[in-house]
Amino acid sequence: HSADAHRTDLMTITRFVLNEQSKHPESRGDFSILLSHIVLGCKFVCTAVNKAGLAKLLGLAGETNVQGEDQKKLDVLSNEVFIKALVSSGRTCILVSEEDEEATFVEPAKRGKYCVVFDPLDGSSNIDCGVSIGTIFGIYMIKDGHEPTLDDVLQPGKNMLAAGYCMYGSSCTLVLSTGSGVNGFTLDPSLGEFILTHPDIKIPKKGKIYSVNEGNAKNWDGPTTKYVQNCKYPTDGSSPKSLRYIGSMVADVHRTLLYGGIFLYPADKKSPNGKLRVLYEVFPMSFLMEQAGGQSFTGKQRALDLVPKKIHERAPIFLGSYDDVEEIKKLYATEEQK
Ligand code: P6P
């Protein structure tokens, strides 16, 4: 009968978040309301992405439709959906999106105490070939009751209250941390609810997979070159690691979180700060990794200690299993001492 209890005792993400809220009696539920609006955005994007292929056939999203109107590209559409959902929640005051050059300052009447940084559809260049893509988000509390400024959002990642991603692939999976562990939820389209399917995710302490774009190898620095060399030709008698690189951050990070291993987007001669964006790619994924028992390193410091100066700033990133990231930290430390 325990199986039956499991089937009828559905732990939806809404119920899960309310359970978390009940741990903070002083809470007025603003955070739960904010999260429910983010979840709504993810559900919308999930349906839009799933129809993308079909829509292409029917000349809808991203193409000119039968009326000859230019349909919005999916990432533009997704961005509008999240901006509207977040503003309408009445709990946000500054929004930073990968799609918008400038931050959005919510009008006073609708202003709340949270700042949300997000990439509405990361990896969207992969839509046409059906590779999994995703939404990545992080949530800060504004610093204090003054008029909101960019300083409220240019905070180190360690100040985030929550972070997560929603991966649009064979299923729609939302992975979330509100600061006490990591939990994964899968959308049941028949219910329109995210159900808890991956309770208390912990990343394996060490993995057998490394994930990097080897096409950039010519431009890597010494420690990264040495690390990848060790993955392929281990000198300690262990077997070589497998290379898995999807080229869509949410998919590569999700596999790393569940299977273990390391994901790298290093600096290189062409891009000294790497490619991935601090606020809405590096910080949320680093937050999740630490909450799951892994770690995240920029080549110079703990990723979550970074203090961004600009909202679209980039940083190199090495994240994943604790022991694997420890290896690359040692190589960079040795480099430092030279
Ligand atoms: P590269 C997708 O465009 C993205 O922003 C991330 O999702 C992904 O990890 C990275 O870029 C892939 O970059 O240079 O390896 O194609």
Side-chain angles (χ1 to χ4, degrees):
H1 75 289
S2 60
D4 180 54
H6 181 78
R7 257 200 306 279
T8 51
D9 185 16
L10 288 180
M11 177 53 81
T12 64
I13 193 165
T14 311
R15 205 178 130 195
F16 183 88
V17 167
L18 287 173
N19 283 355
E20 289 297 295
Q21 175 189 318
S22 62
K23 294 173 189 167
H24 308 274
E26 77 292 346
S27 153
R28 292 197 341 244
D30 292 329
F31 193 68
S32 303
I33 289 169
L34 171 60
L35 279 174
S36 67
H37 282 78
I38 291 175
V39 167
L40 175 68
C42 292
K43 288 179 186 174
F44 178 92
V45 173
C46 177
T47 52
V49 166
N50 288 351
K51 274 184 253 168
L54 194 62
K56 198 169 175 65
L57 192 72
L58 303 176
L60 298 179
E63 305 292 315
T64 52
N65 65 13
V66 286
Q67 289 81 12
E69 297 144 0
D70 273 340
Q71 289 302 298
K72 290 182 173 43
K73 277 169 60 67
L74 269 181
D75 43 10
V76 173
L77 187 72
S78 306
N79 185 49
E80 286 179 13
V81 164
F82 276 107
I83 296 278
K84 289 195 171 86
L86 290 167
V87 170
S88 67
S89 76
R91 281 13 187 225
T92 62
C93 71
I94 305 178
L95 307 176
V96 169
S97 167
E98 191 269 348
E99 287 289 326
D100 297 330
E101 195 49 45
E102 303 302 327
T104 299
F105 286 81
V106 179
E107 59 182 284
K110 283 197 173 287
R111 206 173 274 171
K113 56 188 179 185
Y114 297 109
C115 306
V116 182
V117 295
F118 64 101
D119 187 344
L121 204 54
D122 183 82
S124 53
S125 57
N126 293 295
I127 291 179
D128 292 348
C129 64
V131 161
S132 297
I133 54 180
T135 298
I136 311 172
F137 62 90
I139 302 173
Y140 291 106
M141 173 88 79
I142 49 170
K143 280 184 179 158
D144 53 44
H146 60 69
E147 189 63 16
T149 68
L150 274 189
D151 279 350
D152 288 300
V153 86
L154 293 173
Q155 298 187 46
K158 65 188 167 194
N159 291 1
M160 280 189 173
L161 298 177
Y165 58 80
C166 189
M167 185 171 77
Y168 312 107
S170 50
S171 63
C172 179
T173 305
L174 200 157
V175 172
L176 172 70
S177 174
T178 56
S180 43
V182 181
N183 290 280
F185 303 82
T186 304
L187 183 63
D188 176 337
S190 66
L191 290 176
E193 287 284 359
F194 280 99
I195 308 295
L196 180 65
T197 47
H198 298 71
D200 196 22
I201 300 175
K202 292 294 174 208
I203 183 170
K205 197 162 178 303
K206 194 164 176 44
K208 301 187 180 66
I209 297 171
Y210 74 105
S211 186
V212 68
N213 182 342
E214 291 257 11
N216 298 331
K218 188 164 71 68
N219 301 317
W220 289 340
D221 63 19
T224 291
T225 304
K226 185 95 186 80
Y227 180 77
V228 173
Q229 182 76 3
N230 291 345
C231 290
K232 296 169 165 173
Y233 305 93
T235 52
D236 60 359
S238 60
S239 47
K241 290 186 192 282
S242 290
L243 170 59
R244 292 283 184 277
Y245 193 70
I246 302 167
S248 175
M249 186 184 199
V250 172
D252 279 318
V253 169
H254 190 58
R255 182 209 52 250
T256 305
L257 185 65
L258 296 187
Y259 294 1
I262 186 167
F263 171 79
L264 313 86
Y265 208 107
D268 65 37
K269 293 184 195 104
K270 283 184 313 174
S271 24
N273 284 324
K275 173 182 183 182
L276 299 179
R277 310 285 185 168
V278 172
L279 275 183
Y280 41 78
E281 288 175 321
V282 170
F283 279 168
M285 296 314 204
S286 301
F287 185 94
L288 290 168
M289 279 298 159
E290 289 200 3
Q291 287 288 320
Q295 59 175 327
S296 180
F297 178 62
T298 66
K300 291 193 172 69
Q301 63 184 102
R302 176 192 178 219
L304 291 181
D305 286 343
L306 254 178
V307 180
K309 305 263 180 317
K310 294 233 176 302
I311 57 173
H312 297 295
E313 193 171 303
R314 302 168 194 264
I317 188 71
F318 307 87
L319 60 77
S321 293
Y322 192 89
D323 291 356
D324 295 337
V325 178
E326 209 52 28
E327 287 306 307
I328 201 139
K329 282 167 72 173
K330 283 187 201 123
L331 290 166
Y332 272 97
T334 317
E335 178 85 354
E336 281 293 299
Q337 282 145 17
K338 278 180 190 162

